[in-house]
Amino acid sequence: METISRISSMLETARELTIEAAQSAAASRGPSTGHSSRNLSESHIKRLLDSRNDREVLDGMRRVITCLFLAQLMYRSEPSVPFFSAVVKNVANTSLEVKKLVYIYLVHHAETEPDLALLSINTIQKSLTDQNPQVRAMALRTMSGIRVPVISQIVSLAIKRGCGDMSPHVRKAAALAIPKCYRLDPNTLPQLTGYLSTLLGDTQYFVAGPAIAAFLDVCPDRIDLIHKHYRSLIKKLVDMDEWSQIATLRLLTFYARKCFPRKMQKRKKEVSKGFYDDEDKETHNGGEEYEVLIIDPDLEMLFRSCRLLLHNRNSAVIVSVVRCFLYLAPPEYLSATVGPLVALLRSPQDIQHIALYNIVAVILRHPKPFTRYVSHFLVHTTDPPHIWHLKLEILTILFPHCGLHLKGVIVSELQHFSQGSDPDLVRESVRAIGRCAQSDPSTTGHCLQILLSQITSLDDNLVSESLTVIRHLIQQDPASHEQTVIQLVKHLGMTNNPDARATIVWLVGEFAGAEPEKNIAPDVLRILVKDFANEEEVVKQQIILLGAKVYLHHLLRNPPIEEPQPEPKPQQEYINEWADNQDDKNAEGNYEAAQQTEPEEDRITLLWRYLLLLARYDTSYDLRDRARLYKALLSSPSSTQLATLLLLAPKPVPHVPSPSETRKGLLIGSASLVVGSEAGTHGLRGYQDLPDWVVEGQEPDASLREPDVRPESADKAPLTAGEKLDRALREHESNVASSSKGTTSAPIRNKSLEQWLEDEESETEEETESEEEVTESEEEETEEEEESDEESEEEGTDSDEGEESRQLLTRRDEAQIQGSSKAMP
């Protein structure tokens, strides 16, 4: 018989599988046909949904959900809306799989048909009392997901019921439903705050995690709700899931800033005395004072718990731990996070990109712990531009903190990539070499030699960038780079890049004409003027500027003698002088004498006038205007001081900061840090920076974080069933312990059988004595009550109320006497 039943069940299973395969094949062929077949499929689906067979209803719901997701993928209108009334009928179906699909459909389409969606609320409310916790959790999720504002109070009551449910999965669903209810109706905030206070203290870690996420969405400023749950949350932190850990770390970081002041204590370094001083006074506190950060024990407990999360598989958890240590802990705690943070570079490129941004933000504050991981930041040939940009930046930041060997490795790597074929990589590598030379003056000479060797390259991009960086380095210390300028002048005839030539000419005019003994600027100007017409406009502008500076230096060294202005004469004297001059013009001797008295112009003045003449007939409007400006500025001796201020003023020393300096103030682990300046001055919408440290003396009382101390409140949050059971169990254990203390004075262990029997006999005797004493006291009480009754009868009235009271008293006395008689052995 068993074999026959087994065979029949196998045949039934095969039949069901065949029917399902045929139905799925028909469903796959249905949408590919025309409009008429689609209408047939809709009618067929409605017929399946109206069936009384659970299997057909399940098949119809699968087809409806398939249409729903296909419409989402193809960006079409929603073809599953016509089935709404047929789907709502099946909300009371007993099949769990049908319930899941119906709930998915309701959550998706409730906003389009709110009136029909309200018809299912009563049935969903009944599911909240189902015996299956999975059904209760699904019903709570669905009710909170139906975005109809009318049912906000019903959703609030459902959350209240879910908070006290025996199943932790239902309580988790209640925690996740709180933000949805708040977005549905913000007026329910006082009720939701009470529910959150209950869920935050839940004993299950996977309930407390969603409760914290809901707390951050609904009321993140209510820090007073966290005090009594602070230590329990830290203990549950390790067991939570990854996303709950992220929310908890964010909450505790904000909590620490608002509740733990930054206490600093001054101490003095102990200075040891000499060898021949008194032995009793070997050390004394006469050294320098230094400050030590005092960490609160509760805050240190958070740090210990965070250390265990550094081996998490989720990169966001690791970044959250780094954020906690960076903004809360002393620098020595941060060294433990460097290894796990660098290990994220082995992740995919999207995670690697975000990890590099956070690494740069940490290195800008504390670069020293990352020096031993320099090899992990070397550029690979397969790295995309957004990766190697950040790696080059990290290498330049770490460069001054590395040893000689690592500095050589970094410079050689940058030199290699500066000679590559990618113009962006070449430009960034040369700039990185310049930043390395600026950050570490001991390597400036080596970096400068590398840049000078690249001036003769055929790559114009490399040459122009190298000269720009050289110019920045020369401006750092012009006195020590005189030979560098001379060497650049030698390369002036070997380069044809206009930007490179313009940079060299500017350097000559800025630094080569200051000292008369080493002034090579006039000779360079004389050579450049010969081929002035064939130069590019950028070079011409620098040549005119060089000529103006050379001529100004010449005027400053050889100031012209200003002739005193003659006093005004009468008009008749001017007429007589004019007549005399007309007579003298005919005389040759006077003309030769006048030529001999006229002073000869020097070569620099002639060179300057020749340069102005060349610029006067140039085709560039800008160049002609510049030439007229310099000519007018240097024409009169009275404007020499103004020309000095304009042309020879000291230029500010260029400082090229790290590209991520603008991101230094942004919170690590945030999206605004990755977006950078494009996020605006205040970051992306929703960005929230860490609060300032609470002022010492204004922090909350530390006793609030004690587990037994609970502040009295008018509206106490309801306890869950699990908490009630735990409290009853603790009370029972305490009662048993207190009763055992009064009876047993000797230790329980190592007793013989005779001792056990003697203890039992003594216990029975004590019980009988205590019962006799109780009965005697009860009899005395009954006698006193009888006497008082007799007196009351004499003084009482004949009303019905007096008779009823006497009857009640007599009944009570009889019950007490019977109870005492039964208690007698």
Side-chain angles (χ1 to χ4, degrees):
M1 293 298 291
E2 294 179 359
T3 306
I4 294 173
S5 61
R6 190 176 300 170
I7 292 172
S8 62
S9 63
M10 291 173 64
L11 291 174
E12 184 66 24
T13 305
R15 177 177 172 276
E16 292 175 357
L17 292 174
T18 306
I19 292 173
E20 290 183 358
Q23 289 175 352
S24 62
S28 63
R29 288 197 303 269
S32 62
T33 57
H35 183 71
S36 61
S37 63
R38 187 178 61 193
N39 291 336
L40 290 174
S41 64
E42 289 180 1
S43 61
H44 179 62
I45 291 173
K46 287 184 178 179
R47 192 164 54 248
L48 290 174
L49 294 174
D50 294 335
S51 175
R52 294 184 179 181
N53 189 0
D54 291 346
R55 186 176 298 280
E56 293 180 354
V57 175
L58 180 61
D59 184 33
M61 287 303 305
R62 285 174 178 172
R63 291 171 182 267
V64 171
I65 298 300
T66 303
C67 294
L68 173 65
F69 286 109
L70 285 176
Q72 289 180 349
L73 291 174
M74 297 180 182
Y75 300 99
R76 297 186 303 179
S77 59
E78 299 177 352
S80 55
V81 175
F83 307 118
F84 199 95
S85 58
V87 172
V88 171
K89 294 177 184 178
N90 296 298
V91 73
N93 198 298
T94 57
S95 175
L96 185 60
E97 296 182 356
V98 175
K99 274 185 180 293
K100 289 180 181 178
L101 298 179
V102 172
Y103 287 164
I104 292 172
Y105 184 89
L106 282 175
V107 170
H108 190 80
H109 288 295
E111 285 183 308
T112 58
E113 296 289 341
D115 296 333
L116 292 175
L118 292 176
L119 298 176
S120 62
I121 297 300
N122 291 332
T123 308
I124 297 174
Q125 276 186 298
K126 293 179 182 178
S127 299
L128 293 173
T129 59
D130 195 275
Q131 294 182 354
N132 189 353
Q134 189 177 1
V135 175
R136 298 198 299 269
M138 283 195 308
L140 185 54
R141 282 198 297 267
T142 306
M143 186 175 291
S144 61
I146 296 177
R147 293 177 290 273
V148 180
V150 182
I151 64 170
S152 60
Q153 293 298 328
I154 300 176
V155 175
S156 178
L157 292 174
I159 294 172
K160 181 179 180 181
R161 178 178 293 178
C163 291
D165 199 279
M166 292 289 293
S167 174
H169 297 284
V170 182
R171 299 200 298 271
K172 178 181 178 181
L176 295 174
I178 288 176
K180 300 177 184 178
C181 183
Y182 175 71
R183 287 191 289 268
L184 197 64
D185 185 8
N187 295 325
T188 58
L189 180 60
Q191 306 169 15
L192 300 178
T193 304
Y195 306 153
L196 277 174
S197 179
T198 303
L199 293 172
L200 286 171
D202 200 282
T203 55
Q204 297 293 334
Y205 59 88
F206 55 87
V207 178
I212 290 174
F215 176 84
L216 292 174
D217 285 342
V218 176
C219 51
D221 297 330
R222 290 292 305 274
I223 298 296
D224 56 311
L225 299 178
I226 309 297
H227 292 318
K228 57 184 176 182
H229 308 302
Y230 174 78
R231 295 177 183 175
S232 63
L233 290 177
I234 291 177
K235 294 176 182 177
K236 298 169 190 171
L237 182 60
V238 181
D239 298 324
M240 291 180 181
D241 62 285
E242 300 162 355
W243 306 113
S244 298
Q245 288 173 348
I246 296 171
T248 306
L249 287 172
R250 179 177 178 83
L251 171 64
L252 294 179
T253 304
F254 279 76
Y255 180 87
R257 281 292 190 104
K258 292 183 178 181
C259 299
F260 297 109
R262 198 171 181 82
K263 298 180 181 179
M264 305 296 293
Q265 184 178 5
K266 291 185 178 181
R267 295 181 182 178
K268 291 185 178 181
K269 293 182 180 179
E270 293 184 352
V271 181
S272 59
K273 287 192 172 183
F275 180 77
Y276 294 103
D277 291 338
D278 192 2
E279 293 182 359
D280 297 335
K281 299 179 180 179
E282 291 184 355
T283 59
H284 67 284
N285 295 329
E288 299 179 356
E289 290 187 354
Y290 65 98
E291 292 185 346
V292 178
L293 180 63
I294 300 176
I295 304 175
D296 192 273
D298 286 337
L299 188 58
E300 191 173 3
M301 183 170 64
L302 173 62
F303 296 156
R304 289 197 302 268
S305 182
C306 288
R307 279 180 180 271
L308 304 175
L309 301 179
L310 290 174
H311 301 286
N312 200 291
R313 62 182 180 180
N314 194 328
S315 58
V317 177
I318 296 176
V319 173
S320 299
V321 175
V322 174
R323 177 176 57 197
C324 180
F325 282 163
L326 179 64
Y327 296 116
L328 301 179
E332 55 266 18
Y333 281 85
L334 192 64
S335 59
T337 65
V338 175
L341 192 58
V342 175
L344 296 180
L345 299 180
R346 294 194 291 267
S347 306
Q349 287 186 356
D350 52 348
I351 298 178
Q352 187 178 358
H353 186 208
I354 297 174
L356 283 171
Y357 271 116
N358 289 280
I359 289 173
V360 171
V362 178
I363 288 179
L364 288 173
R365 295 171 178 266
H366 303 282
K368 195 65 178 177
F370 289 86
T371 52
R372 54 179 176 175
Y373 298 101
V374 168
S375 59
H376 292 77
F377 303 111
L378 297 177
V379 180
H380 301 152
T381 55
T382 57
D383 288 339
H386 60 274
I387 297 294
W388 58 253
H389 266 284
L390 294 171
K391 285 188 174 181
L392 289 180
E393 183 178 359
I394 292 173
L395 290 176
T396 55
I397 296 173
L398 295 179
F399 182 79
H401 304 279
C402 298
L404 292 177
H405 173 68
L406 292 178
K407 288 180 181 178
V409 171
I410 293 174
V411 171
S412 61
E413 284 288 319
L414 295 177
Q415 182 182 5
H416 169 72
F417 286 108
S418 65
Q419 298 172 355
S421 58
D422 187 0
D424 292 336
L425 183 58
V426 169
R427 182 170 56 253
E428 292 299 327
S429 299
V430 174
R431 292 176 181 176
I433 293 174
R435 289 200 297 270
C436 291
Q438 288 183 3
S439 60
D440 189 5
S442 62
T443 59
T444 303
H446 181 52
C447 295
L448 194 60
Q449 290 298 325
I450 294 174
L451 295 172
L452 289 173
S453 65
Q454 295 173 346
I455 295 177
T456 57
S457 175
L458 299 177
D459 188 0
D460 294 340
N461 184 28
L462 175 60
V463 174
S464 61
E465 286 296 329
S466 299
L467 282 170
T468 303
V469 175
I470 290 172
R471 177 170 62 84
H472 292 169
L473 294 178
I474 291 176
Q475 286 184 260
Q476 298 284 336
D477 188 10
S480 60
H481 291 92
E482 296 175 356
Q483 296 299 322
T484 305
V485 177
I486 296 174
Q487 192 172 355
L488 289 174
V489 172
K490 294 179 181 179
H491 290 89
L492 189 60
M494 293 183 288
T495 178
N496 296 321
N497 189 359
D499 294 333
R501 293 177 65 83
T503 302
I504 295 175
V505 173
W506 184 88
L507 287 172
V508 171
E510 189 69 21
F511 302 110
E515 298 182 8
E517 299 82 5
K518 302 177 182 179
N519 190 3
I520 62 173
D523 292 332
V524 175
L525 179 63
R526 178 178 56 81
I527 296 171
L528 292 173
V529 165
K530 293 180 181 179
D531 200 20
F532 180 83
N534 298 326
E535 297 284 356
E536 296 290 337
E537 184 177 355
V538 181
V539 185
K540 288 180 181 179
Q541 292 176 0
Q542 296 300 326
I543 292 174
I544 292 177
L545 180 61
L546 173 62
K549 290 180 179 180
V550 169
Y551 184 61
L552 179 59
H553 281 296
H554 174 69
L555 291 178
L556 293 175
R557 294 190 189 99
N558 305 305
I561 301 173
E562 295 186 2
E563 297 180 358
Q565 296 182 358
E567 296 181 358
K569 300 177 181 180
Q571 187 176 4
Q572 187 63 36
E573 292 184 5
Y574 280 110
I575 294 173
N576 295 333
E577 288 180 0
W578 179 79
D580 296 338
N581 291 332
Q582 289 293 329
D583 296 336
D584 293 339
K585 284 182 180 178
N586 297 326
E588 294 180 358
N590 293 336
Y591 179 72
E592 291 177 359
Q595 280 187 342
Q596 290 178 0
T597 57
E598 184 178 352
E600 295 183 359
E601 293 184 349
D602 56 286
R603 294 181 180 180
I604 294 179
T605 305
L606 291 174
L607 188 62
W608 168 240
R609 290 186 178 181
Y610 178 65
L611 181 60
L612 292 176
L613 190 63
L614 291 175
R616 180 179 181 183
Y617 297 101
D618 196 86
T619 57
S620 173
Y621 292 97
D622 187 22
L623 194 66
R624 296 201 297 267
D625 291 341
R626 286 172 184 263
R628 282 195 293 269
L629 173 64
Y630 295 146
K631 180 180 179 181
L633 196 62
L634 299 174
S635 60
S636 62
S638 60
S639 61
T640 306
Q641 186 176 2
L642 178 61
T644 305
L645 291 176
L646 291 176
L647 299 178
L648 301 182
K651 308 301 185 295
V653 178
H655 175 69
V656 183
S658 181
S660 295
E661 283 287 342
T662 55
R663 309 171 191 257
K664 190 174 182 180
L666 296 174
L667 188 66
I668 71 168
S670 61
S672 299
L673 178 67
V674 179
V675 178
S677 58
E678 298 177 2
T681 54
H682 302 290
L684 296 174
R685 186 177 65 180
Y687 172 77
Q688 185 179 5
D689 202 356
L690 283 177
D692 296 331
W693 289 95
V694 64
V695 181
E696 188 175 356
Q698 299 180 3
E699 71 276 10
D701 191 3
S703 62
L704 295 174
R705 291 187 288 272
E706 296 291 336
D708 296 331
V709 176
R710 296 188 178 183
E712 297 180 357
S713 57
D715 48 348
K716 293 184 179 180
L719 295 175
T720 61
E723 290 177 345
K724 292 179 180 178
L725 291 174
D726 293 340
R727 187 175 64 179
L729 182 60
R730 286 195 297 269
E731 291 177 356
H732 176 68
E733 291 177 353
S734 62
N735 292 333
V736 172
S738 61
S739 62
S740 62
K741 285 180 181 179
T743 55
T744 58
S745 58
I748 297 176
R749 294 182 181 179
N750 301 327
K751 282 186 177 183
S752 62
L753 180 59
E754 296 178 354
Q755 292 176 348
W756 280 106
L757 293 174
E758 291 177 357
D759 292 339
E760 290 179 357
E761 290 177 357
S762 60
E763 289 176 0
T764 53
E765 291 176 357
E766 290 176 357
E767 290 176 358
T768 54
E769 292 177 358
S770 61
E771 289 176 355
E772 290 176 357
E773 291 176 357
V774 169
T775 53
E776 290 177 358
S777 62
E778 288 179 351
E779 289 177 357
E780 291 176 356
E781 290 177 358
T782 53
E783 291 177 357
E784 292 176 357
E785 289 176 354
E786 287 176 357
E787 293 176 357
S788 61
D789 293 339
E790 291 176 357
E791 293 176 357
S792 62
E793 287 177 358
E794 293 176 357
E795 297 175 357
T797 61
D798 296 333
S799 62
D800 296 334
E801 295 178 357
E803 292 178 359
E804 291 178 358
S805 62
R806 284 194 295 272
Q807 291 176 2
L808 291 173
L809 290 171
T810 53
R811 289 177 184 175
R812 187 187 65 179
D813 297 337
E814 292 175 358
Q816 289 178 352
I817 293 169
Q818 290 177 2
S820 60
S821 62
K822 289 180 181 179
M824 291 293 290

